[in-house]
Amino acid sequence: MSNPSAIAALQNPSAVSIKPMLAAMMLVVSLSALEQSITSVALPVIASELNGFTLMAWVVSAYLVASTVVTPIYGKLSDIYGRRTMLTCSVSIFIAASLGCAMAQSMPQLVLMRVLQGIGGGGLLSVAQAAVSDVITPRERGRIQGYFSSVWVIASMGGPMIGGYLTHYLSWHWIFWINLPVGVIALIMVRRSLRFLPLPSRNTRRTIDYIGSILLATGLTGVLMAITRIGQGIPIGESLNLMLLLGGMLIMAVFLWHEERTPEPIIPLSMLRIPTVAICCLILFLSFFELISMSVLLPLRLQMTGLSPELSALRLLPLTLTSPIGAFIAGKLMGRHGHYKKIMITGSALASLASFLLALISPRHDVLMALTMALLGLGIGAQFPTGMVATQNAVHRTQVGIATALTSFSRLLGGAVGVAVLTAVVIALLRNALGDFHIGNAPDGGDAMMQIFRTVTASTGDARGLALHTAADGAFREVTLLSAAISLLSPLLLLFIRELKLRDTSEPIAAAMAE
């Protein structure tokens, strides 16, 4: 029998309310999203106080790489040991690492603590959403995932603003201190609200793929570190980049070979052979590739063409606000009609159209830019809940955790790769476009974009300054067109997806009652 108290509670809906659980999971998701972006504004201050400008970019990248690497591992472990156990571990590690970040006395210490914080943060999103899938039917899950996607996007976009205020009025340490009380509240809510979840059957012995976990973590870390360094302006042919990239790819090849031969793989490759799972993971990868890239590159483009940082941030609001609205609408429609394919195709087509329009519209056309970014946000947002629910609906109940982790992993990977790749491309385009002005020879590494950016934004309104702004905008137009071309893959892929009717029962609950 699997957890009699859980079964009794689930048989009697009045014995347990879903609302406290949803509140706890949303708080956990907001912690995960906020921590990925809250440090960005404070980086110059942190680097100045800790005398570590060379490691400045890794304060953000260390967290992203670590959280991306461990996400699928958390998913598998939550299928074996239960959501409550793994989410408790994830939040506890996150809190302890946040304390270490707040007390860091040097940049290497801070980066190391950010790695540990990422290891904790990697389980927040995936396990929280897997826990929801245990008690909400797939058909209703679309509506709930709309709320989760809204919380994620709002927290991600609000992170820089919160980080800026905390750094300005208190100190940069507070962007980590704030995690302690919020994290403790989240931990208490997790322990209380998830105590009635059905536990995995004790009669089934399941082993952990330790070798696969090590290979996955090592290989992905190498590849992601190389991609991140390339995005910071370091040439791909640089010796360390080549070593990381080739070494990481070799280890990943060994990982794939190992997973095909182990009885309990950390990532069941058979799952990726399910067309719905494979296509949805690619769609979520591409949607976050586009969302995060545009969130980073659009403000840079606007500032390089003469707008102030304040106005640039304000002009990003249509994208920020409509992404959760798109997720909410898509979730409601999916819950009402029980279908997801048409919603996903419509959303991806709208996002592709908006991306092409952004490349063609002048940044000075305020209304057109706002409408186009709103269209982009609606299109991208619509793909978040639909992609996740379609994936969960396509797998067996015992694999919901790893399936959910794969969707979260795809989103994180898409954001990391998108920013790195498109930033590297825009640096190359800017160097080429501004070469005639003798400012295209910025150094390699993290200072490349910053030096070009400062030179262009500091230019006056004379003829040379206007020419600089025009040349810079041309480079950003080209990289936006590249992003739009990549986004066209989404609607094309979705034409081949087979729609499965969303179930009206929650399999994990039904199974728990039957055992």
Side-chain angles (χ1 to χ4, degrees), residues 137-159:
T137 67
R139 183 157 181 165
E140 282 297 305
R141 213 175 290 158
R143 179 174 57 86
I144 300 301
Q145 291 300 341
Y147 292 119
F148 273 81
S149 297
S150 301
V151 168
W152 172 272
V153 174
I154 291 171
S156 296
M157 299 301 183

Side-chain angles (χ1 to χ4, degrees), residues 306-337:
L307 266 68
S308 66
E310 294 80 8
L311 285 176
S312 298
L314 192 63
R315 293 277 290 274
L316 199 63
L317 276 178
L319 176 61
T320 305
L321 296 177
T322 55
S323 296
I325 293 173
F328 177 78
I329 293 173
K332 291 284 285 186
L333 290 173
M334 188 165 42
R336 181 178 300 171
H337 302 294

